[in-house]
Amino acid sequence: MQQLIDKIYPEIDSLQQREEESCPQYFGERAILAPLNVDVNDLNKSCLERMSGVTSAYLSVDVALDDAGGPDYSYPTEYLNEISLSDMPNHELMLKVGCPIILLRSLNPFKGLCNGTRMIVTAIREQVIEAKILSGTHRGRSAFIPRISLITSSSSGLPFTLRRRQFPVRLAFGMTINKSQGQSLSIVGIQLVMPVFAHGQLYVALSRATNCENVYVSLGSQNQHTTNIVYMEVFDRESYNIDGSDVMSDID
């Protein structure tokens, strides 16, 4: 992991010495991808530690809700704080000025604040994060990210609804392969110590870079190959009956 960070984020420990205008370009053109959130969290933590600057910590307020929408105090707060879901910010959010983040909710699509927008932190305040958009038509625009209350979906797998009040962002030195869909990058690192687990994931990871010569893959010290997951059924020309109508699949 450290070798991959060195390759994708060279001189990350001396970014504070760069001109302020060069940092958005530096982070906007590169990222490290991994299949699982646990690997992404380790990557982000390691990258943040290597950046110079003061670390600010933000803790969420977590409440379990019953079926009627009222608070359910039968679940310990410590347990709620430990819950980590792919579409939710973590209980503890660690940030430094100059670090990259990614939005987890669409706050204002008209101004470019959509789910998946990558930004760089320009100022850290008690109740708001000031950041600058890294890519797209709104690249370079500043925005203020407030704390909001986020609710888990019915597909979360939890026996209750979790309401977490936190900034709707995660660190974005690294991101999951699924979250990277739609991103266009110049330099891409792919950590595959844990192989991909879903159809098309490897293709998505390898196709994020605009130049194949700038894709770097880490397979671990003992692995010489990785597993690719392909559902061959999607390539079959078969007829399916959906709502009484015959539909022919024609996927090449």
Side-chain angles (χ1 to χ4, degrees), residues 1-7 9 11-15 26-27 32 37-53 55 94-96 99-100 171-174 191:
M1 182 177 68
Q2 297 302 327
Q3 291 178 343
L4 190 62
I5 292 174
D6 289 337
K7 195 71 177 179
Y9 294 109
E11 302 177 352
I12 190 173
D13 55 341
S14 59
L15 286 181
Y26 177 87
F27 284 117
I32 300 176
N37 274 305
V38 62
D39 296 324
V40 170
N41 290 338
D42 289 341
L43 278 165
N44 284 326
K45 180 180 179 181
S46 183
C47 288
L48 189 69
E49 289 175 346
R50 292 174 62 168
M51 279 190 69
S52 59
T55 302
M94 310 291 287
L95 296 175
K96 290 181 180 179
C99 72
L171 287 171
F173 299 98
Q191 182 173 310

Side-chain angles (χ1 to χ4, degrees), residues 127-144:
Q127 298 297 331
V128 71
I129 298 170
E130 186 175 348
K132 186 175 293 185
I133 297 175
L134 290 177
S135 60
T137 57
H138 297 276
R139 178 180 177 180
R141 173 175 287 181
S142 295
F144 295 94

Side-chain angles (χ1 to χ4, degrees), residues 73-196:
Y73 298 110
S74 62
Y75 297 94
T77 301
E78 293 76 12
Y79 164 67
L80 300 179
N81 294 161
E82 292 175 356
I83 295 175
S84 179
L85 301 171
S86 59
D87 60 344
M88 294 279 283
N90 290 327
H91 164 64
E92 184 179 58
L93 176 63
M94 310 291 287
L95 296 175
K96 290 181 180 179
V97 172
C99 72
I101 56 175
I102 186 169
L103 273 178
L104 301 179
R105 291 292 189 276
S106 293
L107 300 180
N108 192 335
F110 180 75
K111 294 186 177 181
L113 301 179
C114 303
N115 186 359
T117 297
R118 297 177 70 226
M119 314 178 77
I120 184 171
V121 176
T122 55
I124 298 175
R125 312 190 191 284
E126 184 175 351
Q127 298 297 331
V128 71
I129 298 170
E130 186 175 348
K132 186 175 293 185
I133 297 175
L134 290 177
S135 60
T137 57
H138 297 276
R139 178 180 177 180
R141 173 175 287 181
S142 295
F144 295 94
I145 311 300
R147 292 179 188 263
I148 63 174
S149 294
L150 303 103
I151 306 295
T152 54
S153 63
S154 57
S155 60
S156 66
L158 298 174
F160 56 87
T161 298
L162 173 65
R163 184 179 66 200
R164 172 166 289 172
R165 186 165 182 80
Q166 178 62 288
F167 294 103
V169 301
R170 281 177 178 256
L171 287 171
F173 299 98
M175 67 183 79
T176 62
I177 295 173
N178 290 344
K179 195 69 176 178
S180 73
Q181 296 188 64
Q183 302 284 345
S184 180
L185 305 164
S186 299
I187 305 171
V188 175
I190 307 174
Q191 182 173 310
L192 293 177
V193 176
M194 178 64 68
V196 296

